[in-house]
Amino acid sequence: GQQVMQIPQYQHVQEGEDFTTYCNSSTTLSNIQWYKQRPGGHPVFLIQLVKSGEVKKQKRLTFQFGEAKKNSSLHITATQTTDVGTYFCAGNNNDMRFGAGTRLTVKP
Amino acid sequence: GAGVSQSPSNKVTEKGKDVELRCDPISGHTALYWYRQSLGQGLEFLIYFQGNSAPDKSGLPSDRFSAERTGGSVSTLTIQRTQQEDSAVYLCASSSWTGGYEQYFGPGTRLTVT
């Protein structure tokens, strides 16, 4: 079945440094979604990418969908302490499957 | 309601007992998902319902787990003969179209099996 792999599992950065998490699927996806889960909270939808090669930005966050629609990335520029949390990708190919998530910690 | 609600928020049960977890999705959402999240871990897919179609039960870890969705709305996840390894947060999510639109998550039920 469909598998969605996400790396790294953990990332610890100094405030102001950049951060990237990567998501790879074993199959071509129709779309991919990204979610953020704050410590103690539940996942909250960030964005959905649908088109091959699509790039979307939300302030300091940049989301990319690969040309083959099998991989995606989330890049945060100049991290802040408010970025702390776990970032999940969720790939859709008839079924929606979540990656294991990348836990980001930010040192002030 | 305004969002997905789940009850109870916390449940402590003894090993071997049965538990029922409830999810009230957003009104009108046809898709409903159940996930399990162990401490510090990712989201483990359990089951999803889409309208009147047969549910996808491929993620249920054993036959002790079952779920139903009555009237296309409220869903109940039942765990029979609970084991300590069942301890986790159980999250429910709903969406307006399976796989195509964002999933709205409930606050979860924290299950502790002693």
Side-chain angles (χ1 to χ4, degrees):
Chain A
Q2 177 191 262
Q3 289 187 333
V4 176
M5 308 299 292
Q6 192 172 352
I7 57 171
Q9 186 176 4
Y10 302 97
Q11 186 77 56
H12 179 71
V13 300
Q14 189 78 35
E15 188 174 23
E17 292 181 338
D18 293 355
F19 159 77
T20 305
T21 173
Y22 301 90
C23 191
N24 290 284
S25 170
S26 57
T27 59
T28 301
L29 301 169
S30 56
N31 61 66
I32 194 162
Q33 297 176 351
W34 285 91
Y35 292 77
K36 177 183 179 181
Q37 184 176 24
R38 294 181 183 276
H42 56 273
V44 175
F45 175 82
L46 293 176
I47 207 161
Q48 176 170 284
L49 304 172
V50 179
K51 300 177 182 177
S52 169
E54 188 170 14
V55 178
K56 287 188 175 181
K57 293 190 176 184
Q58 290 180 350
K59 297 183 180 179
R60 295 178 294 104
L61 277 61
T62 302
F63 304 84
Q64 294 188 341
F65 202 9
E67 293 290 341
K69 301 184 71 174
K70 296 180 73 173
N71 57 71
S72 181
S73 66
L74 158 58
H75 179 83
I76 302 178
T77 303
T79 55
Q80 301 175 358
T81 55
T82 53
D83 296 326
V84 164
T86 301
Y87 293 84
F88 293 97
C89 62
N92 178 41
N93 181 18
N94 295 320
D95 300 324
M96 182 68 75
R97 293 293 183 265
F98 279 78
T102 296
R103 182 183 297 176
L104 172 65
T105 56
V106 180
K107 183 177 181 181
Chain B
V4 178
S5 61
Q6 292 185 245
S7 60
S9 55
N10 283 284
K11 176 71 176 179
V12 180
T13 190
E14 293 180 352
K15 178 182 174 180
K17 295 288 181 64
D18 298 352
V19 294
E20 285 189 352
L21 312 180
R22 177 187 170 104
C23 172
D24 283 84
I26 292 173
S27 178
H29 278 191
T30 57
L32 186 148
Y33 302 78
W34 282 98
Y35 298 92
R36 178 167 70 175
Q37 188 172 37
S38 299
L39 186 62
Q41 301 300 309
L43 297 171
E44 177 187 3
F45 167 78
L46 297 177
I47 187 171
Y48 92 81
F49 300 86
Q50 167 60 359
N52 294 320
S53 303
D56 176 356
K57 303 179 181 180
S58 60
L60 294 178
S62 78
D63 58 8
R64 295 186 296 105
F65 288 73
S66 63
E68 63 178 21
R69 189 179 184 190
T70 54
S73 180
V74 172
S75 177
T76 302
L77 176 69
T78 301
I79 308 173
Q80 295 179 313
R81 305 180 301 283
T82 52
Q83 303 295 313
Q84 288 188 331
E85 60 263 29
D86 299 334
S87 297
V89 174
Y90 289 81
L91 290 162
C92 173
S94 69
S95 70
S96 60
W97 177 60
T98 182
Y101 296 116
E102 65 184 277
Q103 295 186 31
Y104 293 82
F105 282 82
T109 293
R110 182 176 298 278
L111 175 66
T112 303
V113 182
T114 61

